[in-house]
Amino acid sequence: QALVGGGEGFRRQAGLMSARIVFEEGDDGVASVALSHPGKFNAMSRAMWRELRAGFERLQRSISLRCILIKGESGHFCAGGDISEYAGFRFQEESLRAFHEDDVWGGLQSMLDCDVPIVAQIEGNCMGAGIEIASCCDIRIASTAARFGAPIARLGFPMAPRETELVLREAGALTVREMLLEAAVLDAAQMLSRGFLNRVVDVEQCASETLATAQRVVALAPAAARMNKQYIRAFHAQNTPSALAECAPVAINSIAAMTWQAYRYADSPE
């Protein structure tokens, strides 16, 4: 990894390859997280998932940080996973489970565990991995050109269980069914009307509106913001399957078995 920067912030890059995540923390209390995979609309590679986890774990420990702004480079948020890597792990149960449970969920969980408010600047493609990352954000602002979906079924794969639950919670059952079962692609206006987005603005205004939102967050009490996120996370946890284990052991065992068995499709004819 390369680390560049000084008093004005830092830049952290995952390796020397073109696929990377760039973290920059300035003196204004705002950290910028940029997904970058040129030529692939910022599709997430395995290395990027690992860097996402490491970066957010570090940001969580930053005392001076007040807000995180996550975006994609070159006019797109994230087009999904890097399918050029799939042949190396998609067709073996153990390697597929490791990819989703360690790499992907490790990155997403680090975002969910972060007490610093996260604002998403969503432009262009927001597909698959992109909508999962967006689902971990507290405030979502999209341009009118943004497009949302999870057309993984076109590749013959289902969405992983915990990733499905995450998007289901944030986007709603109707939207998730449409995306997964029909491979539907929805525009920003539709996602706004369904409650996934906070605001939709013109393409030219997306960056400035997102930054203005981050600055409004920064202007408020940082300790209160972190506590509010902790409360929200705790209340959500009360309604998760693990919290209901004592009163619904059968349901819990069923969900656990479903999670374990989900990756057996790795060697299916599909």
Side-chain angles (χ1 to χ4, degrees), residues 13 21 44 51 61 71-73 84 89 98 102 112 115 119 121 134 160 172 188 213 224 243 254:
Q13 296 181 344
I21 298 181
M44 292 289 289
E51 180 64 12
R61 297 190 296 269
K71 59 185 178 181
E73 293 191 344
S84 69
F89 60 85
D102 298 336
L112 294 171
D115 295 331
V119 179
Q121 175 182 320
T213 300
S254 175

Side-chain angles (χ1 to χ4, degrees), residues 23 33 37 46 78 80 108 140 152 167 175 189 209 225-226 245 248:
F23 293 85
V33 179
H37 198 163
R46 296 193 77 169
C78 173
L108 297 174
R140 307 180 193 103
I152 191 172
V167 181
T175 298
E209 175 62 24
R226 292 183 182 233

Side-chain angles (χ1 to χ4, degrees), residues 7-8 38 43 45 49 71 82 118 120 135 156 159 174 179 183 189 204 231 245 255-256 269:
E8 295 181 358
S45 66
W49 283 116
K71 59 185 178 181
D82 184 357
I118 306 171
S135 293
M159 184 177 279
L174 182 148
M179 288 181 175
E204 297 80 8
Y231 296 155
I255 291 173

Side-chain angles (χ1 to χ4, degrees), residues 134-145:
S135 293
C136 297
C137 299
D138 301 296
I139 299 174
R140 307 180 193 103
I141 299 168
S143 80
T144 52

Side-chain angles (χ1 to χ4, degrees), residues 5-10 25-27:
E8 295 181 358
F10 65 88
E25 186 175 345
D27 296 330

Side-chain angles (χ1 to χ4, degrees), residues 11 16 24 34 47-48 54 79 87 121 138 141 157 167-168 170 184 189 193 207 225 233 236 256-257 269-270:
R11 175 163 291 196
L16 301 177
E24 292 183 310
M48 290 173 70
Q121 175 182 320
D138 301 296
I141 299 168
F157 304 126
V167 181
L168 181 69
E170 297 298 319
S193 68
R233 189 162 58 239
H236 167 71
E270 294 182 341

